[in-house]
Amino acid sequence: MRLAQPKQIMIMFFMPRPGPRGYSFATLARQAATGHAGWRPAWRTPALREAYDFVIVGGGGHGLATAYYLARHHGARSVAVLEKGWIGGGNTGRNTTIVRSNYKLEINQRFYDYSLGLWETLTRELNFNVMFSPRGVLFLAHSDSDMNALAERGDAMRLRGIDAELLSLGDVRRFAPILDCSPQARFPIHGGLLQRRAGTARHDAVAWGYARAADALGVDIIQNCAVTGFDIAGGRTIAVRTTQGRVAAGRIGVVVAGASSTVMAMAGLRLPIETHLLQAFVSEPVKPMVHSVLLSGAVHCYLSQTDKGEIVLGGDLDFYPSVSQRGGLHRIEQVAAQAIAMVPALGRLRMQRAWAGAMDMTMDGAPIIGATPIEGLYLNGGWCYGGFKATPASGYTFAHTLATGAPHPLNAPYSLDRFARGATIDEAGAGPTPHLH
Ligand code: FAD
């Protein structure tokens, strides 16, 4: 290992960091010495103006990232993010934080691997620790056909230059000794596909980091401001109506995750989306025991361990459409049973919290990013189970689309009209059946 020289360490600590108001070592030391009384809020609380060039509806990670990239890469200086509650209080703050790019279809590989690349430098770009932790994501195989499917996926990934390793049963045992790899296991393991560059990130920090960086570039973040309607004239959106008043807008980007159908219905649009509940839950904190993300598609159960020590568990949808953000006990019971079958050492853990998010499931399992039939109105949604990992690329490409009025090459295939054209992107090959994606 090559150690940094003292001079380099001094430069790392005291050099001004890129991005907004620096959280440098010097700032931290000064605040510590003065009782932390001098911290300013990380973003402003501005008054809502009457008009903006760009209005982003929804202050989740995707909406905030969109605003940030609009200001950062497209020089937009009149941008508002309108959030009905508090920023990051939607699915951004409810997800299980898995970040990966292990897709089989080229369209998805390009998009999600670009996103993973942005994750790798995000902490430095935002000067805010998003705690990106590339601890590896292991997909498990429980049958020969699972192994074949994972081998195919791994080959497809490597053809695009994305890291993927097919693991034998022995390799899995060595990589994750906590798994029950015995032949008597309820779901016997045959092997797995590992992406080492994949991992987790701190979800709240992503919202806060983008918010802080966007605010520093002049973006107005307006919380407690729900959009209640659109003013449309001559087939073009000209304003949004909100609980804080009317706001004229040049272009409007709707990024409201599980509320996409409800919000777009205000503009008279019906989406190919069903909204379902997805739950997750965490255990009491324990010493480090799960060192990567372990995931079984066949069993539909996944787990990882937070830096605090909690085991995070998730599984399948609750399987009835709802926007309630509260799930049923049946799913928790099933996921817990499956997780214990995979990792018997979890058996005596006590669970602390469970929650749910409303997922907008598209009919092909891929997102929608782009124009709508109404001029000036753009949609970013339909992220199904997996939009957290897409946050940087979603914001980056949606900002491009909003600024230029045209799709970025990475998001062009995710257009809304693909459903009318028959150009769906069916990664799982499961057709218009949300729970199979
Ligand atoms: P959100 O964070 O939900 O932001 C949308 C915002 O819009 C909300 O804050 C909401 O209040 C606001 N809004 C809604 N209506 C209005 C309105 N009328 N006016 C103004 N604002 C409005 N993805 C992964 O990649 N990895 C995972 O491990 C993962 N695990 C998940 C586990 C669970 C339990 C859940 C629920 C989701 C998971 N996801 C995961 C999916 C991921 O969380 C989402 O796809 C992603 O966070 C969506 O981000 P967003 O910014 O679009 O949505």
Side-chain angles (χ1 to χ4, degrees):
M1 191 173 72
R2 194 177 149 269
L3 293 175
Q5 300 301 310
K7 194 173 158 197
Q8 284 177 303
I9 293 172
M10 294 292 283
I11 290 172
M12 278 156 53
F13 279 167
F14 294 109
M15 214 173 57
R17 305 284 308 279
R21 301 181 288 272
Y23 284 152
S24 64
F25 178 77
T27 324
L28 290 173
R30 198 169 51 249
Q31 291 297 339
T34 55
H36 291 283
W39 290 113
R40 282 183 293 157
W43 52 87
R44 297 164 296 130
T45 308
L48 182 63
R49 301 207 305 252
E50 284 178 2
Y52 290 91
D53 292 344
F54 300 96
V55 165
I56 309 297
V57 185
H62 289 227
L64 293 162
T66 304
Y68 167 72
Y69 291 115
L70 263 174
R72 173 99 167 77
H73 291 302
H74 303 281
R77 289 293 169 266
S78 170
V79 183
V81 177
L82 310 184
E83 165 54 48
K84 80 169 177 192
W86 66 95
I87 60 165
N91 287 348
T92 299
R94 291 165 189 271
N95 71 79
T96 44
T97 76
I98 302 168
V99 171
R100 57 183 174 88
S101 65
N102 54 354
Y103 283 81
K104 187 170 164 192
L105 296 185
E106 186 181 334
I107 291 167
N108 290 334
Q109 288 174 341
R110 284 185 190 282
F111 185 87
Y112 288 101
D113 206 53
Y114 187 76
S115 205
L116 189 52
L118 293 178
W119 278 110
E120 285 163 352
T121 53
L122 197 58
T123 287
R124 184 150 191 88
E125 160 131 18
L126 301 179
N127 188 11
F128 198 93
N129 190 358
V130 299
M131 295 168 70
F132 174 60
S133 165
R135 57 184 67 180
V137 170
L138 175 63
F139 272 42
L140 296 169
H142 299 283
S143 63
D144 289 345
S145 68
D146 270 5
M147 269 309 261
N148 287 342
L150 289 183
E152 270 178 32
R153 190 197 288 220
D155 288 347
M157 288 167 66
R158 280 189 300 274
L159 280 172
R160 293 242 70 80
I162 301 171
D163 69 305
E165 290 168 47
L166 194 65
L167 303 192
S168 66
L169 175 58
D171 296 334
V172 169
R173 195 179 277 125
R174 278 184 292 280
F175 180 75
I178 198 88
L179 284 165
D180 183 357
C181 289
S182 70
Q184 294 78 35
R186 180 168 166 213
F187 306 108
I189 295 171
H190 285 223
L193 186 70
L194 173 64
Q195 186 179 27
R196 287 187 196 270
R197 280 168 60 233
T200 57
R202 173 69 204 263
H203 46 14
D204 298 319
V206 174
W208 300 334
Y210 273 121
R212 177 171 167 273
D215 173 88
L217 293 170
V219 171
D220 282 356
I221 298 169
I222 315 285
Q223 302 186 72
N224 298 312
C225 179
V227 166
T228 53
F230 298 93
D231 286 348
I232 300 170
R236 185 188 163 80
T237 42
I238 50 170
V240 289
R241 275 173 270 133
T242 81
T243 46
Q244 295 190 23
R246 182 182 184 275
V247 188
R251 285 187 176 147
I252 301 165
V254 174
V255 202
V256 293
S260 300
S261 303
T262 334
V263 171
M264 294 312 269
M266 297 173 191
L269 292 178
R270 195 156 170 245
L271 300 178
I273 281 178
E274 267 180 28
T275 305
H276 284 260
L277 290 174
L278 183 65
Q279 295 197 64
F281 50 109
V282 287
S283 73
E284 60 188 328
V286 287
K287 287 188 177 169
M289 60 186 282
V290 180
H291 304 288
S292 55
V293 180
L294 304 174
L295 209 146
S296 165
V299 177
H300 220 135
C301 167
Y302 58 92
L303 57 117
S304 64
Q305 189 166 17
T306 67
D307 293 341
K308 273 191 287 182
E310 303 148 326
I311 304 292
V312 185
L313 295 146
D316 221 330
L317 299 172
D318 269 22
F319 289 154
Y320 53 88
S322 169
V323 289
S324 66
Q325 297 187 319
R326 263 197 314 252
L329 264 180
H330 68 291
R331 179 63 64 219
I332 298 178
E333 194 179 10
Q334 185 205 11
V335 172
Q338 288 163 331
I340 292 167
M342 281 164 57
V343 180
L346 300 179
R348 302 190 57 189
L349 277 184
R350 282 168 298 190
M351 291 300 147
Q352 287 202 94
R353 290 190 310 280
W355 63 90
M359 318 294 301
D360 44 358
M361 306 294 294
T362 56
M363 294 299 119
D364 63 356
I368 298 166
I369 316 176
T372 70
I374 300 174
E375 213 188 318
L377 183 61
Y378 295 78
L379 172 68
N380 178 323
W383 288 99
C384 304
Y385 298 94
F388 177 67
K389 61 181 167 315
T391 306
S394 162
Y396 183 84
T397 56
F398 197 42
H400 174 99
T401 302
L402 282 168
T404 63
H408 185 280
L410 287 173
N411 72 290
Y414 297 132
S415 64
L416 175 59
D417 70 0
R418 73 177 185 272
F419 296 97
R421 289 186 290 112
T424 49
I425 306 161
D426 201 343
E427 174 84 26
T433 315
H435 71 272
L436 293 180
H437 287 291

